[in-house]
Amino acid sequence: DVKVTQSSRYLVKRTGEKVFLECVQDMDHENMFWYRQDPGLGLRLIYFSYDVKMKEKGDIPEGYSVSREKKERFSLILESASTNQTSMYLCASSSSDFTGELFFGEGSRLTVL
Amino acid sequence: RKEVEQDPGPFNVPEGATVAFNCTYSNSASQSFFWYRQDCRKEPKLLMSVYSSGNEDGRFTAQLNRASQYISLLIRDSKLSDSATYLCVVGRDAGNMLTFGGGTRLMVKP
């Protein structure tokens, strides 16, 4: 069974803390994505990567960075967490011959106090 | 204006009913269209692609109207298990980039 695994389901952090969200996929997919999901706003793309060590900004990259050192792993970093980054974060992957199917992890719910 | 707009609902329908959702998109250059389903506290999953000629998958029918820039999803003979949020998704100009609507919540009651 294909799988995208996010390291933490629930996190509570304080303003100013550095936060790492890890994502691992076992499908040998080239493409990986980080979204955040907020009520009424839907899923918004933060960053994506088409290959190892490659990254591209999505629609809302401010306050975030990413790292892709290995094909299967894509990390989202919040250098200095703020309360407006409280959200559900979803990692996804897809193959290079994209047919419209993104495979999502279960999500990481981050609360910044 | 949002790129992909959906009525958030909720749509409350009895079992066996037929229900339809619409979605509008703003980018006329969009080439690919999908419906995803998201159960409560779960991740989104692809339900079906939407083709220009319309397509059907069991009780689900998807339609695309390029001229009016809207997509529809029709669910016939609703089941309790159809209760979920349905996300309208539009592909951007190229590559693997998708834009998600805010979702329409469906609740099917016994």
Side-chain angles (χ1 to χ4, degrees):
Chain A
D1 198 17
V2 296
K3 206 160 178 65
V4 177
T5 304
Q6 294 184 227
S7 55
S8 306
R9 291 297 305 276
Y10 301 95
L11 303 95
V12 180
K13 297 291 182 181
R14 297 206 175 274
T15 300
E17 281 193 87
K18 192 168 186 176
V19 182
F20 290 90
L21 298 179
E22 301 267 302
C23 174
V24 178
Q25 50 95 3
D26 65 1
M27 295 165 281
D28 200 36
H29 282 167
E30 290 77 13
N31 309 317
M32 296 189 76
F33 307 83
W34 275 106
Y35 288 86
R36 63 177 283 178
Q37 185 173 29
D38 301 287
L41 295 176
L43 279 79
R44 293 178 291 166
L45 182 63
I46 304 171
Y47 265 96
F48 61 99
S49 170
Y50 287 151
D51 202 350
V52 175
K53 296 196 185 292
M54 177 266 173
K55 59 186 177 185
E56 294 284 346
K57 292 180 180 179
D59 300 318
I60 52 164
E62 297 76 20
Y64 303 94
S65 63
V66 290
S67 172
R68 191 159 181 207
E69 295 296 318
K70 293 185 177 181
K71 187 177 185 180
E72 67 271 18
R73 190 179 297 270
F74 193 36
S75 302
L76 181 69
I77 303 148
L78 287 68
E79 292 290 340
S80 177
S82 62
T83 54
N84 63 12
Q85 293 178 310
T86 291
S87 187
M88 171 66 82
Y89 289 88
L90 289 160
C91 175
S93 72
S94 71
S95 64
S96 56
D97 55 341
F98 184 59
T99 57
E101 186 163 20
L102 291 180
F103 294 88
F104 284 90
E106 291 185 305
S108 299
R109 181 162 293 283
L110 172 67
T111 301
V112 183
L113 302 175
Chain B
R1 183 186 171 189
K2 288 182 185 175
E3 288 189 54
V4 180
E5 296 214 54
Q6 297 181 251
D7 181 345
F11 284 57
N12 294 295
V13 302
E15 265 188 296
T18 295
V19 61
F21 312 132
N22 286 333
C23 153
T24 58
Y25 61 95
S26 60
N27 185 357
S28 59
S30 300
Q31 294 296 318
S32 54
F33 309 89
F34 311 94
W35 284 101
Y36 273 66
R37 171 193 168 125
Q38 185 172 24
D39 293 318
C40 188
R41 295 190 177 85
K42 295 284 192 179
E43 71 274 22
K45 293 183 179 179
L46 179 66
L47 177 66
M48 60 196 300
S49 301
V50 186
Y51 303 119
S52 296
S53 54
N55 50 297
E56 193 173 302
D57 183 2
R59 297 180 293 108
F60 297 80
T61 301
Q63 298 272 358
L64 168 64
N65 184 319
R66 284 190 186 272
S68 301
Q69 294 181 212
Y70 80 78
I71 306 150
S72 64
L73 178 68
L74 181 80
I75 305 175
R76 290 182 298 279
D77 188 23
S78 299
K79 311 290 185 193
L80 296 176
S81 57
D82 293 334
S83 296
T85 296
Y86 291 84
L87 305 172
C88 176
V89 183
V90 175
R92 302 190 193 185
D93 299 339
N96 305 305
M97 303 278 285
L98 300 177
T99 300
F100 286 77
T104 297
R105 189 170 172 212
L106 171 66
M107 299 180 69
V108 182
K109 308 281 190 175

